[in-house]
Amino acid sequence: MGRLGLPPYWVEIAYLITAVMFIIGLKRLSSPATARSGNRLAAIGMAIAVFATLFNLNVLDPWYIIVGSLIGGGLGWYLARSVEMTAMPQMVALFNGMGGGAAALTSIAEFLKHTGGFDPVFTIATILGVIIGSISLSGSVIALGKLQGFITSAPVTYKGQQIVNASLAGLLALGALYLIFFDHRNGLVLGLMFVIAMILGVAVVMPIGGADMPVVISLLNSFTGLAVAFSGFVLSSFVLIISGSLVGASGTLLTQLMSKAMNRSLTNVLFGAFGTGGSAEIAGAGGAAGRSVREVTAEDAATLLAYANQVIIVPGYGMAVARAQNAVQDLAKLLEEKGVTVKYAIHPVAGRMPGHMNVLLAEADVPYTQLFEMEEINPDFARTDVALVIGANDVVNPAARSDRSSPIYGMPILDVDRSAHVIVMKRSMRSGFAGIENELFYDPKTSMLFGDAKDAAEQLTAAVKQL
């Protein structure tokens, strides 16, 4: 019987309920309208799994788990509540790394206390859990540093780096073969593999440019899921196997979707050393090579917006940095009161993580019915009077369609340049993550409204009220 006098199989039933809630919760995350309830459902499922484990007969002293859960849960709650939306990818990277590290350390602990004979499933699962979890841990820390800025976002490359990486991978393979075929109880070898895998994670992520960190984080997320699944084999816990597999599969699919949205292969992301992280300044006061842009005042921009039939707002990372979503929604509401149809165009990789713009706009109570994905909204631009671009850059660059020499050539973009008028709200002529010029800025139909996005949106609102 369990601690509460319940039959032994009640734990397995609780785990089954948890797995079902994870699957349903993940499904509901696919829509902004159901994402919050899906997240809550998955959280409840996790709580059920924790309590089932806590009261399992095999848990000798639950107080260690209770205290650890309170500390970890409290810290996680504080971080999640206090983190800025612009830093959400960094937090995801941190939690990613912690999950991978926890899976690796759990596998090591089970390996060290294992007293049975040679079990190939146990040994191989332990090795894979340690290697994949360690790579996820160190790689996620580097990704966090590149996004946060305490590690350069530029690709860090050196001569012979592929040989070094291949050598590290070779050492891990040799260690795995040694444990499987010669000495399956050698904890020192497994510990060395943990260290080597950590180094490999750093070596693989450092040469990747800051522009690709969101893709890297998504890939490492799938690694964490796989590490958790393998630790499930080590612990004989099917709830870990199911939940880890779900994370691994969803992370892999998300990585593929993000790569497709940028028209780049995963190999190119990992080895292409692409992007500067948006640090490059376009030469000259007005633009590169003496090219000029047309500036507009808030009053003139407000006139264009107020007398339009349809306005499409295109949010980007600049809106997140300025925390301008509420000011933008106030402007949209005012335009709707004047009879203007307002829509929001969401690019799959706008911001620094998928769904970044959706979360920001939901925070400002923008109706879900006004949010349109790229494939839905692109045909509407040709029938749109004004496209208002707020802090977006590479995802609206027409060079992706026309310039074969551009590094973003072939990337699906929002067809903003096909609108009758384009207003770009931007702090400066600084480039986007790809580190290249945006041809949209020099289009005769485009007007630049320079300044902080929140301040500019408030100025536009005030000017529209005067009309």
Side-chain angles (χ1 to χ4, degrees):
M1 301 293 284
R3 286 180 174 269
L4 299 180
L6 296 172
Y9 56 79
W10 79 274
V11 174
E12 302 304 322
I13 294 175
Y15 285 166
L16 178 61
I17 294 172
T18 293
V20 172
M21 294 179 77
F22 282 170
I23 294 171
I24 297 175
L26 186 62
K27 170 63 177 176
R28 294 182 71 80
L29 287 175
S30 62
S31 169
T34 58
R36 289 184 179 180
S37 62
N39 194 40
R40 294 191 189 102
L41 192 64
I44 294 171
M46 178 58 73
I48 292 173
V50 169
F51 282 109
T53 303
L54 183 63
F55 291 105
N56 188 2
L57 184 62
N58 296 326
V59 179
L60 299 179
D61 192 344
W63 289 106
Y64 289 108
I65 297 177
I66 293 174
V67 173
S69 298
L70 289 175
I71 295 174
L75 182 60
W77 179 87
Y78 171 76
L79 290 174
R81 294 290 297 179
S82 61
V83 69
E84 296 288 347
M85 277 304 303
T86 51
M88 192 62 69
Q90 290 93 306
M91 190 186 75
V92 172
L94 176 63
F95 288 172
N96 243 4
M98 295 301 101
L105 293 175
T106 298
S107 295
I108 291 175
E110 287 298 310
F111 181 86
L112 294 177
K113 76 175 189 178
H114 183 67
T115 57
F118 175 67
D119 181 348
V121 174
F122 176 86
T123 303
I124 293 172
T126 298
I127 292 169
L128 291 174
V130 169
I131 293 175
I132 297 173
S134 303
I135 291 174
S136 177
L137 171 58
S138 59
S140 295
V141 171
I142 298 301
L144 184 157
K146 282 179 173 279
L147 288 175
Q148 190 64 22
F150 58 81
I151 296 176
T152 177
S153 63
V156 178
T157 59
Y158 56 91
K159 187 176 181 180
Q161 70 179 32
Q162 301 303 337
I163 296 176
V164 171
N165 292 354
S167 299
L168 292 171
L171 289 173
L172 290 173
L174 288 175
L177 292 173
Y178 180 82
L179 288 174
I180 294 171
F181 294 106
F182 296 100
D183 185 1
H184 61 273
R185 299 297 308 126
N186 197 315
L188 177 61
V189 171
L190 188 65
L192 288 174
M193 291 174 66
F194 174 80
V195 174
I196 293 171
M198 290 276 287
I199 297 172
L200 181 59
V202 174
V204 169
V205 177
M206 283 299 291
I208 303 175
D212 288 326
M213 281 305 107
V215 183
V216 172
I217 291 173
S218 177
L219 178 63
L220 293 175
N221 182 50
S222 69
F223 277 24
T224 294
L226 290 175
V228 170
F230 285 121
S231 70
F233 281 103
V234 172
L235 296 168
S236 299
S237 171
F238 83 82
V239 72
L240 286 179
I241 296 173
I242 293 174
S243 58
S245 300
L246 286 173
V247 174
S250 59
T252 301
L253 289 173
L254 181 59
T255 303
Q256 292 176 339
L257 290 173
M258 293 175 70
S259 298
K260 181 180 178 182
M262 297 186 296
N263 193 41
R264 297 170 60 211
S265 66
L266 183 58
T267 302
N268 182 263
V269 170
L270 296 177
F271 305 110
F274 175 76
T276 66
S279 59
E281 184 81 32
I282 297 175
R291 300 169 70 186
S292 61
V293 297
R294 184 162 65 96
E295 292 189 48
V296 68
T297 64
E299 290 73 18
D300 290 339
T303 301
L304 277 175
L305 293 168
Y307 291 102
N309 289 316
Q310 177 166 281
V311 170
I312 295 180
I313 298 174
V314 182
Y317 185 64
M319 187 186 77
V321 171
R323 305 177 193 173
Q325 60 270 25
N326 289 296
V328 171
Q329 172 62 346
D330 290 341
L331 173 63
K333 287 181 179 178
L334 183 60
L335 292 174
E336 289 177 317
E337 291 173 3
K338 290 182 173 291
V340 181
T341 300
V342 178
K343 298 180 180 180
Y344 291 81
I346 311 296
H347 192 279
V349 293
R352 282 190 169 181
M353 61 187 295
H356 200 171
M357 296 300 106
N358 300 72
V359 173
L360 282 173
L361 295 171
E363 191 177 64
D365 294 325
V366 175
Y368 300 131
T369 54
Q370 290 185 334
L371 305 182
F372 294 87
E373 300 298 327
M374 179 176 61
E375 293 80 5
E376 296 177 279
I377 198 69
N378 264 347
D380 281 9
F381 280 108
R383 303 186 293 272
T384 297
D385 299 295
V386 183
L388 181 61
V389 180
I390 308 173
N393 203 322
D394 298 325
V395 298
V396 295
N397 191 341
R401 288 199 308 262
S402 58
D403 186 359
R404 291 182 176 272
S405 65
S406 173
I408 64 171
Y409 178 73
M411 182 180 85
I413 62 168
L414 292 165
D415 295 334
V416 169
D417 59 319
R418 291 174 178 164
S419 303
H421 299 279
V422 180
I423 299 173
V424 177
M425 294 166 57
K426 192 168 167 57
R427 286 179 181 271
S428 68
M429 292 295 290
R430 194 175 292 275
S431 67
F433 284 136
I436 59 175
E437 280 189 80
N438 192 333
E439 295 299 319
L440 178 69
F441 300 163
Y442 305 100
D443 191 308
K445 296 185 296 184
T446 300
S447 301
M448 305 293 297
L449 181 59
F450 291 111
D452 177 83
K454 182 178 180 181
D455 293 340
E458 290 174 347
Q459 291 173 22
L460 286 175
T461 302
V464 169
K465 288 179 179 178
Q466 301 300 317
L467 297 174

